[in-house]
Amino acid sequence: DDQDDQDDDGDPQALGDQWMPGAWSFSQESPRDRWRAVSVFLTRVCEAVASLATVAERHVETARREKSEAAASAFKASRVVGATVVGATRRLHALRASEPFAMIVEEACEVLEPTLMSVIAVRSLRKLELVGDHRQLPAFIQNCWFPLESSHPSLKRSLFERIVAGSTGRRGAGEALSSLCTVLDEQRRMRPAICDLTRAFYDDLVEIQDHPSTMSQRLGDRGSNAAPNLDGFVRDRALWEGGGLLTPGVVPQQFFWNLNSREGRAHVGLSRCNVEEAQACAQLVRWLQNCGVPASQISCITPYKGQKLTILKELRKLGSLQQRRVLGGRRGSFHQRQRHDHQPTNGVVVSTVDRYQGDENDVVILSLVASRPGNRFVALKNRFIVSTSRARLGFFVVGNSDSVTRDQRGEAGPAHWRALLDQLGGPAAKDDDDNEDEEAEPRSRLGEALQICCPRHRRVRRWVANASEFPEANFCTEPCPFRLPFCGHPCRVPCHSPLLVPHTEDCAELVDRPCLVHSQEKLRCSRLKKEPGAASLASALENFKCDILVDFARRECPHVVKVACWQHDALVAGTSVLDPCDEIVEDFIHPVCGHRRRAPRCWQRRQWEEQEPYKCSVRVQHVRECGCRLNMECHVRIQELSLEKKPKCLEAKTAPRPRCQHALSMRCHQLQELRDNWSSRPDGEGETRNENGDVEVRHGVGYALPESSYLLGVPACLNEVVYRASCGHVVVDQPCAKAFEMAAGIRPEPKCKVLETVASPVCGHAVRVECWLKAACADVPGSLWGCGGDGEATEADIVAAAPFAPLVGHHVGPRCKMTATIVRRCGHRRKVRCTKLATIFATKKFPDCTDLVTIDRPCGHAIRVVCNRKDEPLPPCREQSGLEPFFYACGQHSKRASDCAELQKLRALALANGGVACPVEVPCVRYRCSHRVDVACSDADAVSRIMPGRRLDESQTPRVVDSQFSDFCESPASLPECRQPVTFVFHPCRHTLEGIPCHTAVAWATGEEDAPLCQTTTRVESPLCGHAVELPCHLADDLEKWDPWDGGEPETETERFDEFGDPVVVVVVVEGSRQPVAPP
C-alpha cells in the first residue's frame, strides 16, 4: 500500500507535461492542427483520469476490506448479533467470519426465500430457528412493469411457509406435525374474547389456550413507560372502574361500528379513502385520550394508504397528533419510514394493515374504508387475520358491514367476515361484559351507534351514531372519586378528565388548629399545604406553628410588641430572642458638640446612653491656616483641632507659574512649597512678552531653571508660546518648556520653514526655498547655465561636472519648474525640465535624442529613423513600387514579390543555392499506377520518371492489383500516397475486393502491410455429413482438409425422399460406436 501511495501514475503533480499538450491558439497553421491538439489533450486527460481511478479503486477496496475486517472482529467478540435480513446480507462477509452456531429469524414468513438463503449460507451454521405465522400476510413484492405477484405467485412464498406446508401436507388425520415444525399452543397477547375472533383459523393445527395473564393485564402495563407522566397515569388508572382491565370510556370492548358512508379516492395517488370513517376514527381516538388512555397505546390501522393519510389529517385537525421533531436532518431509518411514516414519538400509531403486521397495542381501531360489496382486497383471509389479532384489550372496527358480508352480486360474502359479524352480533363474552345487573339482557357488539361511558362511572352512558356526537368533555355529573394525595380529601370538581380539567389544587376543607390557646380557630387544608416542607396533612399539622398575634412586654424597655403565638411561648421559655426595639423615642443631644439627633430608635438611644456616643456626622465649615475653607463632618473637625501637627492641605488650587506665568494646578501645600523655594533661590530672568502680549522666548537669553528644579513632581509646561530663532524668524505654537530648552541650547532648534528667494545652484533660475536651505545653496559654485539660467550647457560639461550634494539635489533642484537647454554630442539641442537636472548630474544618463535623420539602404531606398537608433540594424524594406518579377529555377514560372525585402530574400536564396525550386502545381501522371496527381513543378520529373518493377495495367478501369505479383515498382518518397480506388485480387481464390486505395492495395501485394483474409462467401460440401454449407473463403480450405472419419465412410440411412424421388441420406452417429474427429 505504501508503494501504491507513492506511485507517480496516480499523482496529478507527477503527470506534469506527460498529459498537458502545448498551448492551443487560433494562430496555429490549420484547423486540422488545432483539432489534433484538442484530441491529444482529451486523450491525455482520459488517460490521467483512468490512472487516478485505478489508484482510487485500490484505496476504496482497501477501505472496504478494513471495514469488513473491523465488523468481523466486532462480531467475533459478541455473543449475540442482531440485524435485519437486508443488513445481514450487506455484511455477509463479516457474518461468516464470526462463525455463528445458531440463527433465529423472527417474522420469517415475511422474508423472501432468496433473501433468506443468502443469509443462512454460512458454513458454521448448525441450528436454524424460523419464527412466524404462515397464515398472516406473506412477503411484499413490488410490481415493476408487470404484476409479478399474480403472474409468479411462488415468488412471495417464504421458506417458512414452504416448510410448514410440506409438513402439514404429509400428516394424516390425528397425526402430529413433522419434527420440522412446532406450533405454539398458548397466547399471551389478547383477551380471550378478542382471540375468539381468530381462534378457529388454527383449529386444524392446534387448540390455542389463553394464558391467565391475558385476564389480569391492564391497559398500559406494556407501554405505560411511554406516557409523559407515568405516576399520574397510574394514579388516574386506579380511578377507572376495573382499574384498567377494561378500555375506559367505551362500554363494549369489541365492537363493529356500522357506518353507511361512501368511499372515495385520495387526493394523491390512486388509493381509496373514506372521510366519514376517518372522522369517526379521529373522534374515537380523541375521546379515548380524554378518558386517560395514553396516545402510544392507541393504534389506527386501515388497508389503504390513502385512508391512513386521511386519518392523520383528521387527527391533526383535532390536535390529537403531535408532529415529530427530526434531529440532524434525517427522518429515521428506512424501516421506520416504511412502517410508521408521519408518526410522532410516543404518539398515536397510524399505519396500514400490511405494515402493522408483527406489532400490537392495547387499543386498535380498524377502518375498512370499503362501502361497495365484493372488495377482495379487504376480504383477503390473511389480511383479516392480521387486522383482527393486533389488539390486547380493545378492538373496534369502523366500516360498512355490507361491504364484507356480501359480494358484488348481493350474495353471501367471505365466510370469515360473516363469522366475525355473527360472533359480534351475539352476546358479549364474560371477560368483556361489565354489567352490574346479571339479569340484564346481553349486549350486542354490532350496531350503527357506539355506546360510550364515563371511565370512572361506567353506569353513566351515551350513544354516539356519528363523529359529530362525541362530547367535547366528560358528560358525567357524578362527583370525582379522586382523593387529593396531600390530605386525602375528595376532589371538589365534578367527574372530569384530568387531561382537560385538573383536580382541585386548593382544598377548602377545615381542620382543627393544633394550638391549646387558639384551638377554636379552624385552618383551611390548602393553607397547610403551603407550609414549607409539608409532605402530607399529618406532617403539616405536626410541624405547624400557630401564627395568631398576641401581646408581649419587653424586659429592656417599656414597649409592648405583637408576636406570633408560637414565638410568645419561646420568648417566655427563653429559647428565642426578639429583635432590637425599633420604636421612635425623643431627640438625643450629643454630649461633645451639642448637635441634636432627631427621632432615634429605642435601641439606638439606649446604646448611646450606656456606651460611647456616636461620631457626629453633621456637616460644618472649617477654616485652615492657609485660608482654605472646608465642609467636613463634625467629628473630623474636632479631631483635626486636637492635633498638634496640622495635616497638609489637599485642596486643589490653580496659580501662575513663577517662570512663564502660565496656570499651574496643584494641591495647596505643593503650591506653597514651590513659592517658598522660588523666592529663596532666584537664578535667572523670567518670561518676556511681545507687543501682542504673548509670551516670547528668544534664543540666547539666560532664563531661570524650570519649576521642577525647585519642587519635584511639577509637570513641564506645555502651553504654546512664540519662539524667536537664531536666524531672527519667529516660530509660533511651540511648547513652553521646549522653547526655554531651545533658548538655552539644550534642545536643537527646528528647521526654519520661512521661504526666501535664491538662485538655484543646479540651473541658475530663481527659486523659493526654506530658510534652513539657504546656507546649503550658498556653499555650491555657480550653475553651468549662468546666472538666470538663460545659457546652454554641453553634454561633455555635465559629464565632467561633479554631482550635487544630496541636500541640494533632493530639496533645491526639484523646486524649479522651468527648462534648460543641453547640447548633445550629436549636435542636437534638447530642452530638459530643471527638476531632472540633479538626477542627470548624479547618474550621467541623458534622455534619448528623438530627432529624425535620413539613412540610405543598400537597395538604394532611403529611410528616416530616430537619432538614438541610427546605429541599430535597419528594419526590412517595405517598398513596393518599381520591383522586378523573380523567376524560379525552371525559368517558366515567376513570382512578383510583395515588397523589396521579400525580393532581396529570394535573390539571396537563389544566389546561395543556384536557384529556387518552383512550387507551382502542375498536373502529372504517376508511373506505377498511371493515376493523375497535381505536384509542384520541381517534382514533376520525379513523378513520371521510369522506375524498375511492375506497373498497373492502365487499360483497366479501375486498375487491378493482383496479389500473386509482388514486384511492383516503388513510388517516389516525396509524393503523397495514392488514394484512387482500385480492385484487389486475392490469390489463389481469385476473389476480388473493390474500392481499396491504390497505395494500400500495392502494400498488401508487396507484403509491406498484412493483407486481410478473404471474406467472400463460398458454398462447399461438409466432409462430416456431406451437406452443402456456406463459409467465408479463408475457412473453406481448412474445411476441405478436415477428415472427420479418418479416411473411412460414415454410417448413413435414408431419412426420406425428395420431391424428385431421390433418397435423402443422413449421417447416423450411434453412442458407443465410431465418433468423428474434432475439426482443426
Side-chain angles (χ1 to χ4, degrees):
D1 293 341
D2 295 337
Q3 295 178 355
D4 294 341
D5 293 341
Q6 298 174 2
D7 192 356
D8 292 340
D9 294 339
D11 187 5
Q13 298 291 339
L15 294 174
D17 297 334
Q18 298 179 12
W19 69 279
M20 288 300 296
W24 180 93
S25 65
F26 281 103
S27 61
Q28 293 179 348
E29 296 182 359
S30 63
R32 180 178 298 177
D33 295 336
R34 293 196 291 271
W35 276 112
R36 184 181 296 108
V38 173
S39 177
V40 171
F41 172 76
L42 294 178
T43 302
R44 301 289 174 81
V45 169
C46 293
E47 293 175 356
V49 171
S51 178
L52 293 176
T54 303
V55 178
E57 185 177 357
R58 293 199 297 267
H59 289 288
V60 171
E61 184 63 28
T62 302
R64 289 175 180 171
R65 184 175 64 256
E66 293 176 353
K67 184 178 180 180
S68 178
E69 293 175 355
S73 177
F75 286 177
K76 288 182 179 180
S78 303
R79 300 182 60 183
V80 178
V81 177
T84 62
V85 176
V86 177
T89 306
R90 294 175 57 186
R91 299 167 179 82
L92 188 59
H93 179 74
L95 185 65
R96 291 176 177 176
S98 63
E99 299 181 352
F101 169 77
M103 187 178 297
I104 302 175
V105 183
E106 195 263 343
E107 291 292 346
C109 193
E110 291 188 87
V111 184
L112 295 176
E113 184 172 352
T115 306
L116 182 60
M117 293 302 297
S118 65
V119 178
I120 65 177
V122 181
R123 187 184 303 273
S124 62
L125 191 65
R126 296 294 181 268
K127 186 175 180 63
L128 177 64
E129 293 285 346
L130 303 179
V131 183
D133 188 351
H134 65 287
R135 296 195 174 176
Q136 294 186 8
L137 290 171
F140 174 74
I141 299 177
Q142 181 69 43
N143 293 329
C144 298
W145 296 280
F146 52 91
L148 288 172
E149 189 171 353
S150 58
S151 60
H152 299 77
S154 59
L155 283 179
K156 65 179 181 179
R157 193 172 190 183
S158 63
L159 176 64
F160 177 88
E161 184 179 359
R162 192 161 58 83
I163 294 176
V164 172
S167 61
T168 56
R170 290 194 300 271
R171 76 180 176 94
E175 295 181 1
L177 292 173
S178 171
S179 59
L180 295 177
C181 178
T182 302
V183 182
L184 301 179
D185 59 354
E186 186 178 60
Q187 65 93 13
R188 298 173 182 240
R189 172 186 293 174
M190 41 196 160
R191 289 292 171 81
I194 301 177
C195 185
D196 291 341
L197 303 178
T198 56
R199 199 189 304 269
F201 294 100
Y202 299 90
D203 288 344
D204 59 333
L205 298 178
V206 69
E207 182 179 354
I208 300 177
Q209 302 295 327
D210 301 317
H211 192 269
S213 62
T214 59
M215 294 297 296
S216 61
Q217 64 178 345
R218 297 180 298 174
L219 191 146
D221 283 349
R222 302 189 188 183
S224 59
N225 56 349
N229 185 2
L230 179 59
D231 295 336
F233 167 73
V234 175
R235 183 171 60 250
D236 294 338
R237 186 179 65 179
L239 301 177
W240 300 342
E241 283 196 20
L245 296 176
L246 301 175
T247 304
V250 186
V251 175
Q253 301 300 292
Q254 304 90 36
F255 190 77
F256 191 104
W257 192 357
N258 190 9
L259 294 179
N260 294 323
S261 58
R262 298 184 61 83
E263 63 177 288
R265 290 291 183 183
H267 295 290
V268 180
L270 301 177
S271 183
R272 301 184 183 184
C273 67
N274 193 317
V275 178
E276 188 174 346
E277 284 189 18
Q279 293 175 349
C281 293
Q283 290 289 351
L284 180 56
V285 169
R286 186 178 66 87
W287 169 250
L288 293 174
Q289 287 183 297
N290 292 342
C291 291
V293 180
S296 60
Q297 304 306 115
I298 305 174
S299 295
C300 289
I301 59 176
T302 177
Y304 298 99
K305 187 175 181 179
Q307 182 70 355
K308 165 192 165 183
L309 299 177
T310 306
I311 294 175
L312 286 170
K313 180 180 178 181
E314 296 298 330
L315 287 174
R316 291 192 183 97
K317 289 181 180 179
L318 299 177
S320 300
L321 192 66
Q322 304 172 1
Q323 293 295 338
R324 176 176 58 185
R325 278 184 18 177
V326 181
L327 302 179
R330 301 184 62 187
R331 297 185 57 192
S333 64
F334 173 81
H335 177 71
Q336 293 173 346
R337 295 197 300 270
Q338 292 295 325
R339 290 186 68 90
H340 306 303
D341 197 10
H342 306 289
Q343 299 310 307
T345 304
N346 299 334
V348 179
V349 178
V350 183
S351 178
T352 59
V353 175
D354 295 31
R355 295 298 183 188
Y356 201 67
Q357 179 173 334
D359 290 345
E360 61 182 52
N361 217 338
D362 288 339
V363 180
V364 176
I365 303 172
L366 172 63
S367 175
L368 297 180
V369 182
S371 60
R372 294 188 293 269
N375 191 310
R376 291 181 296 174
F377 183 75
V378 178
L380 185 65
K381 183 183 293 185
N382 301 71
R383 190 169 285 107
F384 169 82
I385 294 176
V386 173
S387 59
T388 56
S389 60
R390 302 299 98 194
R392 290 196 288 262
L393 299 178
F395 178 58
F396 306 96
V397 183
V398 181
N400 192 329
S401 60
D402 292 340
S403 65
V404 294
T405 57
R406 297 181 181 274
D407 57 10
Q408 295 179 349
R409 294 171 295 183
E411 299 178 359
H416 51 276
W417 274 107
R418 289 188 286 108
L420 172 69
L421 268 66
D422 293 341
Q423 188 174 358
L424 294 178
K430 293 183 179 181
D431 61 299
D432 184 43
D433 195 352
D434 63 325
N435 285 333
E436 296 180 355
D437 187 2
E438 297 180 356
E439 298 180 359
E441 295 183 2
R443 294 189 308 273
S444 173
R445 294 172 289 175
L446 170 65
E448 296 182 355
L450 175 65
Q451 191 175 21
I452 61 175
C453 64
C454 174
R456 288 160 291 278
H457 309 92
R458 296 185 65 87
R459 62 183 178 276
V460 181
R461 302 176 179 179
R462 176 182 292 185
W463 289 95
V464 175
N466 51 57
S468 61
E469 295 183 3
F470 276 95
E472 293 293 335
N474 195 5
F475 55 86
C476 181
T477 58
E478 297 289 330
C480 180
F482 181 73
R483 291 280 177 174
L484 300 179
F486 176 76
C487 56
H489 298 140
C491 176
R492 293 291 182 177
V493 181
C495 185
H496 61 95
S497 172
L499 301 177
L500 302 179
V501 180
H503 295 296
T504 302
E505 295 183 359
D506 296 335
C507 182
E509 294 288 337
L510 299 178
V511 297
D512 295 334
R513 184 183 293 269
C515 179
L516 299 178
V517 179
H518 307 96
S519 58
Q520 71 280 3
E521 298 289 340
K522 299 295 184 178
L523 285 172
R524 291 178 66 91
C525 181
S526 59
R527 160 70 190 284
L528 294 173
K529 185 179 179 181
K530 298 177 182 179
E531 291 292 327
S536 62
L537 178 61
S539 62
L541 291 174
E542 181 180 355
N543 299 325
F544 179 75
K545 295 180 179 181
C546 183
D547 54 356
I548 297 178
L549 298 179
V550 297
D551 294 335
F552 179 76
R554 291 180 176 271
R555 296 185 181 91
E556 68 275 9
C557 64
H559 298 129
V560 177
V561 295
K562 294 287 187 178
V563 296
C565 177
W566 67 271
Q567 190 178 9
H568 183 277
D569 297 340
L571 292 173
V572 173
T575 58
S576 179
V577 179
L578 284 176
D579 294 334
C581 183
D582 283 339
E583 293 289 336
I584 298 177
V585 296
E586 295 181 0
D587 297 345
F588 178 74
I589 305 301
H590 198 282
V592 178
C593 60
H595 290 134
R596 181 184 297 273
R597 184 70 173 270
R598 299 184 182 277
R601 300 291 180 178
C602 177
W603 65 272
Q604 291 177 332
R605 180 169 182 131
R606 287 188 291 102
Q607 182 179 3
W608 297 337
E609 291 174 351
E610 296 173 0
Q611 302 175 7
E612 182 180 355
Y614 63 91
K615 295 181 180 180
C616 183
S617 58
V618 178
R619 309 294 296 186
V620 296
Q621 290 288 334
H622 176 58
V623 181
R624 288 181 172 171
E625 295 178 354
C626 59
C628 295
R629 289 182 175 272
L630 301 179
N631 187 0
M632 60 178 60
E633 294 182 354
C634 179
H635 71 93
V636 177
R637 174 179 174 274
I638 294 173
Q639 183 180 4
E640 183 175 334
L641 292 175
S642 62
L643 297 176
E644 294 182 0
K645 184 178 180 181
K646 304 303 179 183
K648 294 180 179 180
C649 183
L650 300 178
E651 283 295 310
K653 284 188 174 184
T654 301
R657 291 176 178 265
R659 184 171 66 169
C660 59
Q661 300 302 309
H662 291 133
L664 175 63
S665 296
M666 299 185 71
R667 297 298 173 181
C668 179
H669 71 93
Q670 292 177 332
L671 288 176
Q672 185 63 36
E673 185 178 356
L674 177 60
R675 283 194 294 267
D676 295 342
N677 295 340
W678 181 272
S679 59
S680 62
R681 295 181 294 176
D683 54 357
E685 297 184 10
E687 52 86 20
T688 58
R689 294 183 181 271
N690 56 17
E691 59 275 7
N692 297 327
D694 298 330
V695 177
E696 180 179 310
V697 181
R698 300 178 179 179
H699 180 75
V701 178
Y703 294 99
L705 297 176
E707 290 83 357
S708 58
S709 301
Y710 302 95
L711 179 64
L712 296 177
V714 179
C717 182
L718 299 179
N719 289 278
E720 294 180 352
V721 299
V722 177
Y723 176 74
R724 189 171 294 277
S726 57
C727 61
H729 294 134
V730 174
V731 182
V732 297
D733 300 335
Q734 291 294 317
C736 180
K738 181 180 178 181
F740 280 105
E741 291 179 357
M742 290 189 296
I746 300 175
R747 182 190 294 269
E749 292 181 338
K751 296 178 180 180
C752 184
K753 302 296 183 178
V754 179
L755 297 179
E756 293 190 3
T757 302
V758 296
S760 173
V762 179
C763 60
H765 297 126
V767 295
R768 298 276 291 176
V769 297
E770 289 85 351
C771 177
W772 67 276
L773 289 174
K774 183 177 180 181
C777 294
D779 297 338
V780 180
S783 172
L784 294 178
W785 285 267
C787 182
D790 298 332
E792 295 179 350
T794 62
E795 183 177 337
D797 295 338
I798 296 175
V799 173
F804 294 99
L807 191 63
V808 176
H810 294 166
H811 295 279
V812 180
R815 299 297 179 91
C816 184
K817 304 302 180 183
M818 302 178 69
T819 59
T821 303
I822 300 178
V823 181
R824 303 300 302 273
R825 296 183 186 274
C826 58
H828 297 130
R829 285 172 171 76
R830 179 69 182 274
K831 292 286 188 179
V832 180
R833 289 186 175 275
C834 296
T835 55
K836 298 181 179 180
L837 290 179
T839 305
I840 294 176
F841 273 94
T843 60
K844 307 303 180 183
K845 294 182 179 180
F846 298 88
D848 294 336
C849 182
T850 57
D851 293 342
L852 296 178
V853 296
T854 302
I855 300 177
D856 294 331
R857 293 177 178 272
C859 61
H861 297 128
I863 183 173
R864 290 179 62 81
V865 297
V866 181
C867 179
N868 67 303
R869 302 185 63 180
K870 61 183 179 181
D871 297 332
E872 297 179 2
L874 298 178
C877 183
R878 299 304 178 187
E879 285 292 334
Q880 299 179 356
S881 61
L883 299 180
E884 298 178 357
F886 176 79
F887 286 90
Y888 291 106
C890 62
Q892 299 177 1
H893 301 112
S894 63
K895 178 181 180 182
R896 185 168 294 278
S898 59
D899 51 28
C900 181
E902 185 181 1
L903 179 60
Q904 298 301 325
K905 183 178 179 181
L906 292 173
R907 288 177 177 176
L909 187 61
L911 182 62
N913 300 328
V916 178
C918 181
V920 178
E921 291 187 353
V922 295
C924 295
V925 177
R926 297 177 184 266
Y927 175 76
R928 183 173 67 181
C929 58
S930 301
H931 289 135
R932 293 185 175 276
V933 61
D934 291 338
V935 296
C937 178
S938 59
D939 296 332
D941 295 338
V943 175
S944 303
R945 187 173 61 248
I946 300 176
M947 303 287 291
R950 182 181 297 275
R951 298 180 61 197
L952 300 184
D953 187 0
E954 59 181 282
S955 63
Q956 296 177 344
T957 304
R959 307 289 191 269
V960 177
V961 178
D962 195 341
S963 62
Q964 67 178 341
F965 303 109
S966 61
D967 55 345
F968 289 97
C969 62
E970 297 182 357
S971 176
S974 59
L975 293 182
E977 298 177 353
C978 183
R979 294 295 179 182
Q980 295 293 330
V982 298
T983 300
F984 182 77
V985 179
F986 289 95
H987 180 75
C989 63
R990 310 306 296 171
H991 292 138
T992 60
L993 185 61
E994 298 179 353
I996 305 301
C998 177
H999 175 79
T1000 303
V1002 174
W1004 290 350
T1006 58
E1008 296 179 5
E1009 297 181 8
D1010 294 335
L1013 300 176
C1014 183
Q1015 301 294 334
T1016 303
T1017 303
T1018 59
R1019 189 177 183 88
V1020 297
E1021 180 180 353
S1022 174
L1024 177 66
C1025 56
H1027 297 149
V1029 295
E1030 292 182 353
L1031 294 174
C1033 178
H1034 70 276
L1035 296 178
D1037 295 340
D1038 297 336
L1039 187 63
E1040 293 176 354
K1041 297 176 183 179
W1042 179 32
D1043 185 8
W1045 304 107
D1046 198 12
E1049 294 294 334
E1051 299 182 8
T1052 60
E1053 65 178 19
T1054 301
E1055 181 184 23
R1056 58 185 173 83
F1057 292 92
D1058 58 11
E1059 58 184 353
F1060 302 104
D1062 296 330
V1064 177
V1065 180
V1066 297
V1067 177
V1068 179
V1069 179
V1070 182
E1071 183 179 0
S1073 63
R1074 184 172 54 137
Q1075 301 295 320
V1077 180

